Amino acid sequence: MYLNPEEEKMYNGEYGETMRKSMEILVALGDIYEAECLVNISSAQISGVSYKTIGDAGLEYLEDLAADKTAKAKVPSTLNPAGTDLDNWKELGFPIDFVKKQNRIVDAYGNLGISKTCTCTPYLVGNVPRFKDHVAFSESSAVAYTNSVIGARTNREGGPGALAAAICGKTPMYAYHLEENRVATDVIELEDEISKTEYGALGYIVGGEVGDGVPYFILKNKKENKPRNSDLKSLVTGLKPTVNDLKSLGAALASSGAVALYHIEGETPEYKIADYESVAKDKIYISKADIKNVFEKLSNSSKNTADLVCLGCPHASLEEIEKIANLVKSKKIANDLWVCTSINIKAAADRMNYTKIIENAGGHIVCDTCMVVAPIEDLGYETIGVDSAKAANYVPSMCGLEVIYDDAKNLIKFK
């Protein structure tokens, strides 16, 4: 892999040991994936933050890197969710030994110049690449959103690779950084209309079908049945996905499969370059019955009521928090409720009085963490209710708990 003179200096340790180690990682990745060179990135998003997932070995590695006081991220960078709410951990019952090590992890990242904003939706809190920007994102749902909805370019980075990219301001130029790899591999056509919660179920089905492919979606038109290529406006007047729908779709695609990029006809910015005609003959059709089966498949609890309802996977937007606040307003919740989001979005929810409404009903807006990477299995819960296909897919294996996958209005019970 070609390195320019400045990159050679970084690789040879002329800018310190942490920079050298980081360049070694990037060069090794480039060699593995046959990248010809490195490319400058505009930002990074780094996974490997929860103590639950990286443990003492990860903590030691990060503190060793951070000991080099000259090493700082060269580009704006954010963190994936941590294992606790960094401010309100005691109120939520997180064990103090876990919290202490979690704080050391976040502090180590902070010493490397990484923002301590811990969220899987960095594009909602300021880490928003421009169209065709090259970035290094490692949270799988953020990768899918960034590639697909924004049209920026990133591979599914591992935590160490994304951190190395942040420190060097570069990443190897391969896979989704190259336009020829952003074409469709599969065409997906919906036979029925779908609702908000069903976008996650749709993503779960398709991710399992296409693996690490690039799906091209043709959504069901609610109002007209004109031929697909006759009038673009007729295709998008009915079923127009929101930002939150696309967030849920990408998260599920990336969890049941390894999808990093998808296209939606008439919606996403690069659908015209998807070049789907060559694969359209093997079109995959998805029906309402297929989607209904996902809810049944992912719900593995014999109970009808969850001990804890966890919403916000990926982290909730302000609009999603508003809907929960309206759902629980002037009521008392019978089960525990966490609405997971970033500290930034919570600050906006505080201003809008949504936080107070949810807390008065008995729920919590939980920052910095989520039901997947938090040690909820140590907090006395047995059954978790989620409205996210990604969460429903991961909670049984990551937490060892039963899960109920359903719409929020069905999960939350009232006294």
Side-chain angles (χ1 to χ4, degrees), residues 354-383:
Y354 303 150
T355 303
K356 187 175 181 181
I357 291 170
I358 291 170
E359 289 178 346
N360 285 344
H364 298 276
I365 294 186
V366 178
C367 299
D368 310 311
T369 190
C370 75
M371 69 292 290
V372 175
V373 298
I376 55 174
E377 63 272 18
D378 297 328
L379 303 183
Y381 298 112
E382 295 181 356
T383 303

Side-chain angles (χ1 to χ4, degrees), residues 288-349:
K288 197 80 167 180
D290 296 326
I291 289 175
K292 181 181 177 182
N293 288 339
V294 174
F295 287 87
E296 296 173 355
K297 177 181 178 180
L298 291 179
S299 297
N300 67 352
S301 176
S302 58
K303 296 182 179 179
N304 294 321
T305 301
D307 305 321
L308 170 66
V309 176
C310 277
L311 310 176
C313 178
H315 272 174
S317 66
L318 186 63
E319 294 80 8
E320 289 172 313
I321 293 175
E322 178 187 14
K323 290 179 180 178
I324 299 304
N326 290 336
L327 179 63
V328 304
K329 189 174 183 179
S330 302
K331 300 176 183 177
K332 291 296 180 183
I333 304 168
N335 32 20
D336 287 354
L337 171 66
W338 288 8
V339 182
C340 299
T341 192
S342 67
I343 189 68
N344 314 59
I345 297 296
K346 182 181 181 296

Side-chain angles (χ1 to χ4, degrees), residues 119-375:
T119 182
C120 51
T121 55
Y123 46 85
L124 296 181
V125 299
N127 190 350
V128 190
R130 295 174 299 178
F131 181 61
K132 291 192 176 182
D133 269 3
H134 295 280
V135 297
F137 279 25
S138 56
E139 155 58 32
S140 62
S141 69
V143 167
Y145 189 96
T146 300
N147 273 324
S148 311
V149 183
I150 297 174
R153 300 184 171 194
T154 181
N155 292 319
R156 280 178 60 132
E157 303 286 356
L163 177 57
I167 291 170
C168 297
K170 300 171 182 289
T171 196
M173 184 78 160
Y174 71 94
Y176 295 109
H177 291 285
L178 304 172
E179 187 158 313
E180 60 262 32
N181 295 321
R182 299 176 70 85
V183 299
T185 61
D186 301 89
V187 176
I188 316 297
E189 183 159 356
L190 272 69
E191 297 177 345
D192 304 285
E193 303 161 14
I194 60 173
S195 64
K196 175 190 178 304
T197 307
E198 292 172 335
Y199 273 92
L202 170 64
Y204 180 84
I205 296 169
V206 175
E209 290 280 348
V210 307
D212 61 355
V214 180
Y216 182 99
F217 289 92
I218 302 169
L219 300 181
K220 176 72 174 178
N221 179 27
K222 287 183 180 177
K223 297 183 178 179
E224 300 180 71
N225 260 331
K226 292 184 179 180
R228 199 166 50 75
N229 291 320
S230 66
D231 181 2
L232 179 60
K233 289 183 180 179
S234 74
L235 296 173
V236 299
T237 51
L239 186 60
K240 188 174 180 65
T242 67
V243 165
N244 295 316
D245 297 333
L246 298 176
K247 176 164 68 81
S248 298
L249 174 65
L253 284 166
S255 64
S256 64
V259 173
L261 167 66
Y262 63 87
H263 304 287
I264 299 179
E265 189 168 73
E267 292 293 329
T268 53
E270 292 183 296
Y271 81 94
K272 288 185 178 180
I273 72 159
D275 191 27
Y276 66 90
E277 287 86 355
S278 63
V279 295
K281 63 181 184 299
D282 298 318
K283 191 181 298 181
I284 300 169
Y285 292 92
I286 308 294
S287 70
K288 197 80 167 180
D290 296 326
I291 289 175
K292 181 181 177 182
N293 288 339
V294 174
F295 287 87
E296 296 173 355
K297 177 181 178 180
L298 291 179
S299 297
N300 67 352
S301 176
S302 58
K303 296 182 179 179
N304 294 321
T305 301
D307 305 321
L308 170 66
V309 176
C310 277
L311 310 176
C313 178
H315 272 174
S317 66
L318 186 63
E319 294 80 8
E320 289 172 313
I321 293 175
E322 178 187 14
K323 290 179 180 178
I324 299 304
N326 290 336
L327 179 63
V328 304
K329 189 174 183 179
S330 302
K331 300 176 183 177
K332 291 296 180 183
I333 304 168
N335 32 20
D336 287 354
L337 171 66
W338 288 8
V339 182
C340 299
T341 192
S342 67
I343 189 68
N344 314 59
I345 297 296
K346 182 181 181 296
D350 292 347
R351 286 268 182 103
M352 295 300 294
N353 208 40
Y354 303 150
T355 303
K356 187 175 181 181
I357 291 170
I358 291 170
E359 289 178 346
N360 285 344
H364 298 276
I365 294 186
V366 178
C367 299
D368 310 311
T369 190
C370 75
M371 69 292 290
V372 175
V373 298

